[in-house]
Amino acid sequence: DAFAAVAVSAHPDPERKGCIAVRWVQFWIPSKTQDGELQLTEIENELRDFIKTHRVLQLCYDVYQLKQMAQNLSRIVWTEEFSQASDRLVADKSLLDAIQMRQVAHYGDPTLREHVNNADRKVEGAGKLRIVKRTHALKVDGCVCLSMAHARAKSGFAL
């Protein structure tokens, strides 16, 4: 499977107050020789380097298989679990709304763009939806990561 990290901030242009800007994205795809497994130590080291060289306020994460990494990184940055249940349903809808209102700026990373284009939506109730893959083989990890980052930036830090 793939792994993505997305860093966002308030948009630097005062005319775009309330918008977020994607500042950094990174993707890790396991090689065929790794039997489909990611090297979490490599990912943790790269995240640690990024945290040390940037003003990172919070690292939110999907708890599935990442609890140990988050505990290690919590020594240098505030870490918070992001629920893949109710929190994601609200976050995914909020990201769709923000994109439609042109409130998300990015620098054109081709893989992030691909992951967003691969995404479809599954309505889960009033004001809630889940990002899903258009087809099974496509990757949407970057889009989901952007959804989580956008939600935390908009609610937790009141941009």
Side-chain angles (χ1 to χ4, degrees), residues 22-71:
V22 175
R23 301 304 197 154
W24 177 78
V25 295
Q26 185 65 40
F27 295 92
W28 293 268
I29 310 280
S31 70
K32 301 287 185 211
T33 60
Q34 294 172 330
D35 297 325
E37 297 211 6
L38 290 163
Q39 300 301 314
L40 294 180
T41 303
E42 172 189 324
I43 294 169
E44 181 180 330
N45 289 337
E46 193 158 345
L47 290 174
R48 184 179 304 279
D49 289 344
F50 182 83
I51 291 163
K52 287 180 178 179
T53 58
H54 295 79
R55 290 184 57 205
V56 176
L57 298 178
Q58 182 189 91
L59 178 122
C60 70
Y61 64 96
D62 175 356
V63 71
Y64 181 69
Q65 296 182 339
L66 300 178
K67 187 75 167 176
Q68 180 66 45
M69 182 190 307
Q71 286 174 342

mmCIF file of all heavy atoms in Angstrom, residues 22-71:
data_model
loop_
_atom_site.group_PDB
_atom_site.id
_atom_site.type_symbol
_atom_site.label_atom_id
_atom_site.label_comp_id
_atom_site.label_asym_id
_atom_site.label_seq_id
_atom_site.Cartn_x
_atom_site.Cartn_y
_atom_site.Cartn_z
ATOM 1 N N VAL A 22 -1.226 24.042 0.560
ATOM 2 C CA VAL A 22 -0.425 22.831 0.694
ATOM 3 C C VAL A 22 1.030 23.259 0.563
ATOM 4 O O VAL A 22 1.418 23.897 -0.409
ATOM 5 C CB VAL A 22 -0.787 21.789 -0.388
ATOM 6 C CG1 VAL A 22 0.141 20.592 -0.319
ATOM 7 C CG2 VAL A 22 -2.248 21.362 -0.239
ATOM 8 N N ARG A 23 1.840 22.918 1.561
ATOM 9 C CA ARG A 23 3.238 23.343 1.603
ATOM 10 C C ARG A 23 4.217 22.243 1.247
ATOM 11 O O ARG A 23 5.308 22.499 0.774
ATOM 12 C CB ARG A 23 3.590 23.869 2.993
ATOM 13 C CG ARG A 23 2.762 25.028 3.435
ATOM 14 C CD ARG A 23 2.869 26.132 2.418
ATOM 15 N NE ARG A 23 2.425 27.376 2.994
ATOM 16 C CZ ARG A 23 2.831 28.534 2.578
ATOM 17 N NH1 ARG A 23 3.687 28.612 1.592
ATOM 18 N NH2 ARG A 23 2.365 29.626 3.119
ATOM 19 N N TRP A 24 3.850 20.990 1.534
ATOM 20 C CA TRP A 24 4.776 19.871 1.325
ATOM 21 C C TRP A 24 3.962 18.594 1.229
ATOM 22 O O TRP A 24 2.974 18.411 1.943
ATOM 23 C CB TRP A 24 5.723 19.798 2.521
ATOM 24 C CG TRP A 24 6.711 18.674 2.538
ATOM 25 C CD1 TRP A 24 7.872 18.581 1.833
ATOM 26 C CD2 TRP A 24 6.661 17.492 3.354
ATOM 27 N NE1 TRP A 24 8.543 17.419 2.154
ATOM 28 C CE2 TRP A 24 7.813 16.742 3.090
ATOM 29 C CE3 TRP A 24 5.742 17.004 4.289
ATOM 30 C CZ2 TRP A 24 8.081 15.529 3.718
ATOM 31 C CZ3 TRP A 24 5.996 15.797 4.913
ATOM 32 C CH2 TRP A 24 7.166 15.072 4.617
ATOM 33 N N VAL A 25 4.344 17.743 0.317
ATOM 34 C CA VAL A 25 3.745 16.411 0.228
ATOM 35 C C VAL A 25 4.859 15.400 0.010
ATOM 36 O O VAL A 25 5.880 15.703 -0.610
ATOM 37 C CB VAL A 25 2.692 16.284 -0.898
ATOM 38 C CG1 VAL A 25 1.500 17.162 -0.641
ATOM 39 C CG2 VAL A 25 3.272 16.564 -2.254
ATOM 40 N N GLN A 26 4.652 14.243 0.541
ATOM 41 C CA GLN A 26 5.614 13.157 0.342
ATOM 42 C C GLN A 26 4.832 11.856 0.243
ATOM 43 O O GLN A 26 3.878 11.649 0.997
ATOM 44 C CB GLN A 26 6.608 13.102 1.501
ATOM 45 C CG GLN A 26 7.704 12.097 1.340
ATOM 46 C CD GLN A 26 8.623 12.417 0.169
ATOM 47 O OE1 GLN A 26 8.958 13.559 -0.075
ATOM 48 N NE2 GLN A 26 9.010 11.409 -0.564
ATOM 49 N N PHE A 27 5.260 11.001 -0.668
ATOM 50 C CA PHE A 27 4.612 9.711 -0.851
ATOM 51 C C PHE A 27 5.659 8.615 -0.769
ATOM 52 O O PHE A 27 6.782 8.795 -1.240
ATOM 53 C CB PHE A 27 3.921 9.640 -2.228
ATOM 54 C CG PHE A 27 2.802 10.614 -2.357
ATOM 55 C CD1 PHE A 27 3.024 11.883 -2.889
ATOM 56 C CD2 PHE A 27 1.529 10.287 -1.940
ATOM 57 C CE1 PHE A 27 1.997 12.797 -2.994
ATOM 58 C CE2 PHE A 27 0.495 11.197 -2.049
ATOM 59 C CZ PHE A 27 0.728 12.452 -2.576
ATOM 60 N N TRP A 28 5.274 7.528 -0.172
ATOM 61 C CA TRP A 28 6.130 6.351 -0.096
ATOM 62 C C TRP A 28 5.339 5.185 -0.668
ATOM 63 O O TRP A 28 4.214 4.917 -0.268
ATOM 64 C CB TRP A 28 6.512 6.041 1.348
ATOM 65 C CG TRP A 28 7.385 7.071 1.980
ATOM 66 C CD1 TRP A 28 8.745 7.089 2.019
ATOM 67 C CD2 TRP A 28 6.952 8.233 2.704
ATOM 68 N NE1 TRP A 28 9.188 8.187 2.705
ATOM 69 C CE2 TRP A 28 8.111 8.910 3.136
ATOM 70 C CE3 TRP A 28 5.704 8.784 3.025
ATOM 71 C CZ2 TRP A 28 8.054 10.087 3.871
ATOM 72 C CZ3 TRP A 28 5.648 9.962 3.741
ATOM 73 C CH2 TRP A 28 6.823 10.597 4.154
ATOM 74 N N ILE A 29 5.937 4.509 -1.620
ATOM 75 C CA ILE A 29 5.329 3.332 -2.249
ATOM 76 C C ILE A 29 6.319 2.187 -2.052
ATOM 77 O O ILE A 29 7.490 2.329 -2.402
ATOM 78 C CB ILE A 29 5.093 3.535 -3.764
ATOM 79 C CG1 ILE A 29 4.363 4.842 -4.041
ATOM 80 C CG2 ILE A 29 4.400 2.337 -4.384
ATOM 81 C CD1 ILE A 29 2.889 4.838 -3.840
ATOM 82 N N PRO A 30 5.879 1.063 -1.494
ATOM 83 C CA PRO A 30 6.829 -0.037 -1.293
ATOM 84 C C PRO A 30 7.290 -0.615 -2.623
ATOM 85 O O PRO A 30 6.536 -0.671 -3.582
ATOM 86 C CB PRO A 30 6.021 -1.072 -0.500
ATOM 87 C CG PRO A 30 4.597 -0.752 -0.774
ATOM 88 C CD PRO A 30 4.530 0.730 -1.059
ATOM 89 N N SER A 31 8.549 -0.997 -2.660
ATOM 90 C CA SER A 31 9.065 -1.628 -3.870
ATOM 91 C C SER A 31 8.576 -3.072 -3.921
ATOM 92 O O SER A 31 8.154 -3.642 -2.922
ATOM 93 C CB SER A 31 10.592 -1.584 -3.885
ATOM 94 O OG SER A 31 11.104 -2.457 -2.895
ATOM 95 N N LYS A 32 8.673 -3.652 -5.084
ATOM 96 C CA LYS A 32 8.245 -5.054 -5.258
ATOM 97 C C LYS A 32 9.069 -5.989 -4.370
ATOM 98 O O LYS A 32 8.595 -7.011 -3.934
ATOM 99 C CB LYS A 32 8.381 -5.469 -6.720
ATOM 100 C CG LYS A 32 7.575 -4.647 -7.671
ATOM 101 C CD LYS A 32 6.111 -4.955 -7.570
ATOM 102 C CE LYS A 32 5.354 -4.195 -8.637
ATOM 103 N NZ LYS A 32 4.027 -3.840 -8.267
ATOM 104 N N THR A 33 10.303 -5.614 -4.070
ATOM 105 C CA THR A 33 11.169 -6.480 -3.266
ATOM 106 C C THR A 33 10.817 -6.430 -1.779
ATOM 107 O O THR A 33 11.292 -7.238 -1.009
ATOM 108 C CB THR A 33 12.646 -6.090 -3.432
ATOM 109 O OG1 THR A 33 12.813 -4.731 -3.014
ATOM 110 C CG2 THR A 33 13.089 -6.248 -4.875
ATOM 111 N N GLN A 34 9.983 -5.495 -1.373
ATOM 112 C CA GLN A 34 9.617 -5.381 0.042
ATOM 113 C C GLN A 34 8.345 -6.148 0.374
ATOM 114 O O GLN A 34 7.784 -5.972 1.441
ATOM 115 C CB GLN A 34 9.425 -3.907 0.421
ATOM 116 C CG GLN A 34 10.695 -3.096 0.359
ATOM 117 C CD GLN A 34 10.415 -1.617 0.563
ATOM 118 O OE1 GLN A 34 9.362 -1.105 0.226
ATOM 119 N NE2 GLN A 34 11.394 -0.936 1.116
ATOM 120 N N ASP A 35 7.872 -6.959 -0.532
ATOM 121 C CA ASP A 35 6.650 -7.734 -0.317
ATOM 122 C C ASP A 35 5.459 -6.853 0.057
ATOM 123 O O ASP A 35 4.629 -7.213 0.875
ATOM 124 C CB ASP A 35 6.854 -8.799 0.769
ATOM 125 C CG ASP A 35 7.903 -9.825 0.390
ATOM 126 O OD1 ASP A 35 7.987 -10.155 -0.809
ATOM 127 O OD2 ASP A 35 8.632 -10.289 1.276
ATOM 128 N N GLY A 36 5.399 -5.657 -0.524
ATOM 129 C CA GLY A 36 4.275 -4.765 -0.279
ATOM 130 C C GLY A 36 4.308 -4.058 1.058
ATOM 131 O O GLY A 36 3.340 -3.439 1.444
ATOM 132 N N GLU A 37 5.411 -4.158 1.785
ATOM 133 C CA GLU A 37 5.501 -3.524 3.099
ATOM 134 C C GLU A 37 6.334 -2.258 3.024
ATOM 135 O O GLU A 37 7.374 -2.209 2.389
ATOM 136 C CB GLU A 37 6.119 -4.496 4.110
ATOM 137 C CG GLU A 37 5.251 -5.714 4.308
ATOM 138 C CD GLU A 37 5.359 -6.266 5.707
ATOM 139 O OE1 GLU A 37 6.010 -5.648 6.561
ATOM 140 O OE2 GLU A 37 4.774 -7.317 5.936
ATOM 141 N N LEU A 38 5.852 -1.248 3.708
ATOM 142 C CA LEU A 38 6.588 0.005 3.787
ATOM 143 C C LEU A 38 7.623 -0.066 4.890
ATOM 144 O O LEU A 38 7.438 -0.763 5.890
ATOM 145 C CB LEU A 38 5.615 1.151 4.086
ATOM 146 C CG LEU A 38 4.676 1.510 2.942
ATOM 147 C CD1 LEU A 38 3.516 2.332 3.449
ATOM 148 C CD2 LEU A 38 5.431 2.261 1.868
ATOM 149 N N GLN A 39 8.703 0.672 4.717
ATOM 150 C CA GLN A 39 9.746 0.763 5.732
ATOM 151 C C GLN A 39 9.411 1.942 6.645
ATOM 152 O O GLN A 39 9.750 3.086 6.353
ATOM 153 C CB GLN A 39 11.112 0.936 5.058
ATOM 154 C CG GLN A 39 11.480 -0.204 4.128
ATOM 155 C CD GLN A 39 11.513 -1.546 4.861
ATOM 156 O OE1 GLN A 39 12.070 -1.644 5.943
ATOM 157 N NE2 GLN A 39 10.891 -2.548 4.279
ATOM 158 N N LEU A 40 8.695 1.667 7.736
ATOM 159 C CA LEU A 40 8.223 2.738 8.609
ATOM 160 C C LEU A 40 9.354 3.514 9.261
ATOM 161 O O LEU A 40 9.203 4.702 9.548
ATOM 162 C CB LEU A 40 7.261 2.184 9.656
ATOM 163 C CG LEU A 40 5.932 1.642 9.103
ATOM 164 C CD1 LEU A 40 5.048 1.122 10.229
ATOM 165 C CD2 LEU A 40 5.200 2.693 8.296
ATOM 166 N N THR A 41 10.491 2.894 9.482
ATOM 167 C CA THR A 41 11.628 3.610 10.058
ATOM 168 C C THR A 41 12.098 4.703 9.107
ATOM 169 O O THR A 41 12.392 5.823 9.524
ATOM 170 C CB THR A 41 12.780 2.636 10.378
ATOM 171 O OG1 THR A 41 12.297 1.624 11.251
ATOM 172 C CG2 THR A 41 13.949 3.358 11.013
ATOM 173 N N GLU A 42 12.148 4.399 7.831
ATOM 174 C CA GLU A 42 12.532 5.387 6.815
ATOM 175 C C GLU A 42 11.541 6.561 6.807
ATOM 176 O O GLU A 42 11.930 7.725 6.768
ATOM 177 C CB GLU A 42 12.568 4.722 5.439
ATOM 178 C CG GLU A 42 12.774 5.674 4.277
ATOM 179 C CD GLU A 42 12.578 4.978 2.931
ATOM 180 O OE1 GLU A 42 12.944 3.799 2.796
ATOM 181 O OE2 GLU A 42 12.051 5.646 2.018
ATOM 182 N N ILE A 43 10.264 6.236 6.868
ATOM 183 C CA ILE A 43 9.220 7.266 6.882
ATOM 184 C C ILE A 43 9.340 8.115 8.145
ATOM 185 O O ILE A 43 9.317 9.349 8.083
ATOM 186 C CB ILE A 43 7.824 6.623 6.773
ATOM 187 C CG1 ILE A 43 7.669 5.954 5.409
ATOM 188 C CG2 ILE A 43 6.731 7.669 7.008
ATOM 189 C CD1 ILE A 43 6.452 5.061 5.276
ATOM 190 N N GLU A 44 9.502 7.466 9.281
ATOM 191 C CA GLU A 44 9.636 8.197 10.538
ATOM 192 C C GLU A 44 10.837 9.139 10.502
ATOM 193 O O GLU A 44 10.747 10.293 10.941
ATOM 194 C CB GLU A 44 9.772 7.222 11.712
ATOM 195 C CG GLU A 44 9.893 7.922 13.045
ATOM 196 C CD GLU A 44 10.022 6.966 14.207
ATOM 197 O OE1 GLU A 44 9.485 5.841 14.145
ATOM 198 O OE2 GLU A 44 10.672 7.356 15.201
ATOM 199 N N ASN A 45 11.951 8.689 9.972
ATOM 200 C CA ASN A 45 13.148 9.527 9.891
ATOM 201 C C ASN A 45 12.929 10.749 8.994
ATOM 202 O O ASN A 45 13.361 11.853 9.321
ATOM 203 C CB ASN A 45 14.355 8.720 9.413
ATOM 204 C CG ASN A 45 14.839 7.745 10.461
ATOM 205 O OD1 ASN A 45 14.603 7.915 11.657
ATOM 206 N ND2 ASN A 45 15.512 6.702 10.021
ATOM 207 N N GLU A 46 12.240 10.543 7.879
ATOM 208 C CA GLU A 46 11.979 11.674 6.986
ATOM 209 C C GLU A 46 11.007 12.668 7.631
ATOM 210 O O GLU A 46 11.197 13.882 7.535
ATOM 211 C CB GLU A 46 11.440 11.179 5.651
ATOM 212 C CG GLU A 46 11.454 12.282 4.616
ATOM 213 C CD GLU A 46 11.449 11.773 3.190
ATOM 214 O OE1 GLU A 46 11.711 10.582 2.955
ATOM 215 O OE2 GLU A 46 11.191 12.603 2.304
ATOM 216 N N LEU A 47 9.998 12.162 8.313
ATOM 217 C CA LEU A 47 9.075 13.049 9.025
ATOM 218 C C LEU A 47 9.805 13.805 10.144
ATOM 219 O O LEU A 47 9.600 15.008 10.336
ATOM 220 C CB LEU A 47 7.899 12.260 9.600
ATOM 221 C CG LEU A 47 6.906 11.706 8.577
ATOM 222 C CD1 LEU A 47 5.883 10.819 9.266
ATOM 223 C CD2 LEU A 47 6.228 12.824 7.809
ATOM 224 N N ARG A 48 10.669 13.112 10.860
ATOM 225 C CA ARG A 48 11.447 13.737 11.930
ATOM 226 C C ARG A 48 12.302 14.882 11.363
ATOM 227 O O ARG A 48 12.347 15.971 11.931
ATOM 228 C CB ARG A 48 12.333 12.685 12.605
ATOM 229 C CG ARG A 48 13.133 13.179 13.792
ATOM 230 C CD ARG A 48 13.959 12.040 14.402
ATOM 231 N NE ARG A 48 13.155 10.902 14.793
ATOM 232 C CZ ARG A 48 12.451 10.818 15.931
ATOM 233 N NH1 ARG A 48 12.484 11.806 16.779
ATOM 234 N NH2 ARG A 48 11.753 9.735 16.206
ATOM 235 N N ASP A 49 12.946 14.645 10.238
ATOM 236 C CA ASP A 49 13.762 15.686 9.605
ATOM 237 C C ASP A 49 12.897 16.884 9.214
ATOM 238 O O ASP A 49 13.295 18.037 9.409
ATOM 239 C CB ASP A 49 14.487 15.147 8.368
ATOM 240 C CG ASP A 49 15.604 14.178 8.717
ATOM 241 O OD1 ASP A 49 16.033 14.129 9.893
ATOM 242 O OD2 ASP A 49 16.044 13.444 7.801
ATOM 243 N N PHE A 50 11.725 16.621 8.658
ATOM 244 C CA PHE A 50 10.831 17.712 8.260
ATOM 245 C C PHE A 50 10.388 18.515 9.491
ATOM 246 O O PHE A 50 10.405 19.750 9.479
ATOM 247 C CB PHE A 50 9.606 17.171 7.513
ATOM 248 C CG PHE A 50 8.690 18.262 7.037
ATOM 249 C CD1 PHE A 50 8.950 18.931 5.852
ATOM 250 C CD2 PHE A 50 7.582 18.631 7.779
ATOM 251 C CE1 PHE A 50 8.120 19.955 5.416
ATOM 252 C CE2 PHE A 50 6.744 19.654 7.361
ATOM 253 C CZ PHE A 50 7.016 20.316 6.166
ATOM 254 N N ILE A 51 10.008 17.822 10.540
ATOM 255 C CA ILE A 51 9.555 18.484 11.771
ATOM 256 C C ILE A 51 10.659 19.354 12.359
ATOM 257 O O ILE A 51 10.409 20.463 12.837
ATOM 258 C CB ILE A 51 9.054 17.437 12.783
ATOM 259 C CG1 ILE A 51 7.756 16.793 12.275
ATOM 260 C CG2 ILE A 51 8.861 18.046 14.172
ATOM 261 C CD1 ILE A 51 7.387 15.495 12.970
ATOM 262 N N LYS A 52 11.876 18.872 12.307
ATOM 263 C CA LYS A 52 13.003 19.614 12.875
ATOM 264 C C LYS A 52 13.352 20.868 12.065
ATOM 265 O O LYS A 52 13.941 21.802 12.604
ATOM 266 C CB LYS A 52 14.234 18.717 12.997
ATOM 267 C CG LYS A 52 14.122 17.710 14.115
ATOM 268 C CD LYS A 52 15.361 16.849 14.179
ATOM 269 C CE LYS A 52 15.278 15.868 15.343
ATOM 270 N NZ LYS A 52 16.465 15.003 15.399
ATOM 271 N N THR A 53 13.015 20.895 10.789
ATOM 272 C CA THR A 53 13.402 22.023 9.937
ATOM 273 C C THR A 53 12.236 22.945 9.575
ATOM 274 O O THR A 53 12.431 23.902 8.825
ATOM 275 C CB THR A 53 14.075 21.517 8.644
ATOM 276 O OG1 THR A 53 13.166 20.640 7.957
ATOM 277 C CG2 THR A 53 15.372 20.774 8.948
ATOM 278 N N HIS A 54 11.051 22.654 10.082
ATOM 279 C CA HIS A 54 9.865 23.464 9.790
ATOM 280 C C HIS A 54 9.071 23.700 11.079
ATOM 281 O O HIS A 54 9.195 22.932 12.036
ATOM 282 C CB HIS A 54 8.976 22.770 8.751
ATOM 283 C CG HIS A 54 9.626 22.643 7.419
ATOM 284 N ND1 HIS A 54 10.556 21.672 7.138
ATOM 285 C CD2 HIS A 54 9.503 23.378 6.299
ATOM 286 C CE1 HIS A 54 10.962 21.809 5.895
ATOM 287 N NE2 HIS A 54 10.352 22.832 5.365
ATOM 288 N N ARG A 55 8.254 24.709 11.069
ATOM 289 C CA ARG A 55 7.405 24.997 12.234
ATOM 290 C C ARG A 55 6.134 24.155 12.148
ATOM 291 O O ARG A 55 5.107 24.614 11.651
ATOM 292 C CB ARG A 55 7.067 26.483 12.279
ATOM 293 C CG ARG A 55 8.265 27.342 12.625
ATOM 294 C CD ARG A 55 7.895 28.780 12.752
ATOM 295 N NE ARG A 55 6.832 28.931 13.754
ATOM 296 C CZ ARG A 55 5.976 29.929 13.773
ATOM 297 N NH1 ARG A 55 6.024 30.870 12.856
ATOM 298 N NH2 ARG A 55 5.051 29.996 14.705
ATOM 299 N N VAL A 56 6.199 22.961 12.633
ATOM 300 C CA VAL A 56 5.066 22.045 12.607
ATOM 301 C C VAL A 56 4.334 22.159 13.936
ATOM 302 O O VAL A 56 4.926 21.983 14.999
ATOM 303 C CB VAL A 56 5.529 20.588 12.370
ATOM 304 C CG1 VAL A 56 4.351 19.624 12.438
ATOM 305 C CG2 VAL A 56 6.251 20.478 11.034
ATOM 306 N N LEU A 57 3.037 22.483 13.879
ATOM 307 C CA LEU A 57 2.251 22.615 15.097
ATOM 308 C C LEU A 57 1.684 21.282 15.556
ATOM 309 O O LEU A 57 1.572 21.037 16.745
ATOM 310 C CB LEU A 57 1.111 23.611 14.889
ATOM 311 C CG LEU A 57 1.537 25.037 14.566
ATOM 312 C CD1 LEU A 57 0.309 25.906 14.338
ATOM 313 C CD2 LEU A 57 2.395 25.597 15.682
ATOM 314 N N GLN A 58 1.279 20.455 14.601
ATOM 315 C CA GLN A 58 0.678 19.177 14.977
ATOM 316 C C GLN A 58 0.883 18.157 13.870
ATOM 317 O O GLN A 58 0.860 18.498 12.689
ATOM 318 C CB GLN A 58 -0.825 19.335 15.203
ATOM 319 C CG GLN A 58 -1.492 18.040 15.657
ATOM 320 C CD GLN A 58 -3.000 18.150 15.671
ATOM 321 O OE1 GLN A 58 -3.649 17.841 14.687
ATOM 322 N NE2 GLN A 58 -3.545 18.613 16.779
ATOM 323 N N LEU A 59 1.073 16.923 14.280
ATOM 324 C CA LEU A 59 1.100 15.804 13.359
ATOM 325 C C LEU A 59 -0.124 14.964 13.695
ATOM 326 O O LEU A 59 -0.215 14.410 14.791
ATOM 327 C CB LEU A 59 2.381 14.976 13.544
ATOM 328 C CG LEU A 59 2.456 13.758 12.639
ATOM 329 C CD1 LEU A 59 3.700 13.838 11.782
ATOM 330 C CD2 LEU A 59 2.455 12.496 13.473
ATOM 331 N N CYS A 60 -1.096 14.933 12.783
ATOM 332 C CA CYS A 60 -2.249 14.056 13.008
ATOM 333 C C CYS A 60 -2.038 12.809 12.161
ATOM 334 O O CYS A 60 -1.394 12.851 11.118
ATOM 335 C CB CYS A 60 -3.567 14.761 12.708
ATOM 336 S SG CYS A 60 -3.918 15.140 10.993
ATOM 337 N N TYR A 61 -2.551 11.706 12.653
ATOM 338 C CA TYR A 61 -2.245 10.436 12.005
ATOM 339 C C TYR A 61 -3.398 9.465 12.132
ATOM 340 O O TYR A 61 -4.218 9.556 13.042
ATOM 341 C CB TYR A 61 -0.972 9.828 12.609
ATOM 342 C CG TYR A 61 -1.123 9.459 14.072
ATOM 343 C CD1 TYR A 61 -1.446 8.165 14.456
ATOM 344 C CD2 TYR A 61 -0.979 10.422 15.068
ATOM 345 C CE1 TYR A 61 -1.618 7.838 15.788
ATOM 346 C CE2 TYR A 61 -1.134 10.099 16.406
ATOM 347 C CZ TYR A 61 -1.460 8.803 16.761
ATOM 348 O OH TYR A 61 -1.639 8.481 18.079
ATOM 349 N N ASP A 62 -3.426 8.531 11.216
ATOM 350 C CA ASP A 62 -4.347 7.398 11.244
ATOM 351 C C ASP A 62 -3.716 6.355 12.165
ATOM 352 O O ASP A 62 -2.590 5.927 11.926
ATOM 353 C CB ASP A 62 -4.517 6.865 9.829
ATOM 354 C CG ASP A 62 -5.349 5.604 9.729
ATOM 355 O OD1 ASP A 62 -5.765 5.049 10.762
ATOM 356 O OD2 ASP A 62 -5.580 5.164 8.590
ATOM 357 N N VAL A 63 -4.404 5.990 13.215
ATOM 358 C CA VAL A 63 -3.825 5.115 14.235
ATOM 359 C C VAL A 63 -3.481 3.717 13.705
ATOM 360 O O VAL A 63 -2.627 3.043 14.258
ATOM 361 C CB VAL A 63 -4.746 5.029 15.479
ATOM 362 C CG1 VAL A 63 -5.998 4.233 15.165
ATOM 363 C CG2 VAL A 63 -4.013 4.454 16.657
ATOM 364 N N TYR A 64 -4.115 3.310 12.616
ATOM 365 C CA TYR A 64 -3.882 1.974 12.094
ATOM 366 C C TYR A 64 -2.411 1.803 11.709
ATOM 367 O O TYR A 64 -1.921 2.442 10.788
ATOM 368 C CB TYR A 64 -4.791 1.707 10.883
ATOM 369 C CG TYR A 64 -4.630 0.340 10.298
ATOM 370 C CD1 TYR A 64 -5.050 -0.784 10.996
ATOM 371 C CD2 TYR A 64 -4.049 0.154 9.061
ATOM 372 C CE1 TYR A 64 -4.897 -2.050 10.469
ATOM 373 C CE2 TYR A 64 -3.895 -1.106 8.516
ATOM 374 C CZ TYR A 64 -4.320 -2.202 9.230
ATOM 375 O OH TYR A 64 -4.164 -3.456 8.704
ATOM 376 N N GLN A 65 -1.696 1.007 12.426
ATOM 377 C CA GLN A 65 -0.286 0.670 12.229
ATOM 378 C C GLN A 65 0.686 1.829 12.448
ATOM 379 O O GLN A 65 1.865 1.700 12.172
ATOM 380 C CB GLN A 65 -0.048 0.077 10.836
ATOM 381 C CG GLN A 65 -0.745 -1.237 10.610
ATOM 382 C CD GLN A 65 -0.446 -1.824 9.254
ATOM 383 O OE1 GLN A 65 -0.048 -1.135 8.326
ATOM 384 N NE2 GLN A 65 -0.662 -3.121 9.123
ATOM 385 N N LEU A 66 0.218 2.973 12.933
ATOM 386 C CA LEU A 66 1.105 4.121 13.087
ATOM 387 C C LEU A 66 1.250 4.587 14.535
ATOM 388 O O LEU A 66 1.875 5.604 14.792
ATOM 389 C CB LEU A 66 0.628 5.286 12.211
ATOM 390 C CG LEU A 66 0.579 4.991 10.716
ATOM 391 C CD1 LEU A 66 0.038 6.187 9.960
ATOM 392 C CD2 LEU A 66 1.942 4.590 10.196
ATOM 393 N N LYS A 67 0.691 3.868 15.461
ATOM 394 C CA LYS A 67 0.730 4.273 16.868
ATOM 395 C C LYS A 67 2.166 4.391 17.378
ATOM 396 O O LYS A 67 2.533 5.377 18.012
ATOM 397 C CB LYS A 67 -0.057 3.265 17.721
ATOM 398 C CG LYS A 67 -0.229 3.673 19.151
ATOM 399 C CD LYS A 67 -1.252 4.748 19.257
ATOM 400 C CE LYS A 67 -1.661 4.937 20.702
ATOM 401 N NZ LYS A 67 -2.597 6.039 20.839
ATOM 402 N N GLN A 68 3.004 3.409 17.081
ATOM 403 C CA GLN A 68 4.391 3.431 17.551
ATOM 404 C C GLN A 68 5.155 4.618 16.970
ATOM 405 O O GLN A 68 5.871 5.322 17.677
ATOM 406 C CB GLN A 68 5.105 2.122 17.200
ATOM 407 C CG GLN A 68 6.553 2.068 17.664
ATOM 408 C CD GLN A 68 6.657 2.058 19.190
ATOM 409 O OE1 GLN A 68 5.939 1.337 19.858
ATOM 410 N NE2 GLN A 68 7.551 2.867 19.736
ATOM 411 N N MET A 69 4.987 4.858 15.666
ATOM 412 C CA MET A 69 5.655 5.985 15.030
ATOM 413 C C MET A 69 5.200 7.292 15.667
ATOM 414 O O MET A 69 6.024 8.165 15.957
ATOM 415 C CB MET A 69 5.377 6.020 13.528
ATOM 416 C CG MET A 69 6.099 7.164 12.829
ATOM 417 S SD MET A 69 5.597 7.451 11.104
ATOM 418 C CE MET A 69 5.774 5.845 10.379
ATOM 419 N N ALA A 70 3.918 7.432 15.897
ATOM 420 C CA ALA A 70 3.398 8.657 16.509
ATOM 421 C C ALA A 70 3.938 8.840 17.925
ATOM 422 O O ALA A 70 4.265 9.952 18.331
ATOM 423 C CB ALA A 70 1.876 8.631 16.515
ATOM 424 N N GLN A 71 4.043 7.752 18.665
ATOM 425 C CA GLN A 71 4.609 7.851 20.017
ATOM 426 C C GLN A 71 6.061 8.313 19.961
ATOM 427 O O GLN A 71 6.487 9.154 20.753
ATOM 428 C CB GLN A 71 4.506 6.510 20.740
ATOM 429 C CG GLN A 71 3.104 6.183 21.183
ATOM 430 C CD GLN A 71 2.986 4.785 21.776
ATOM 431 O OE1 GLN A 71 3.849 3.938 21.580
ATOM 432 N NE2 GLN A 71 1.903 4.552 22.493
#
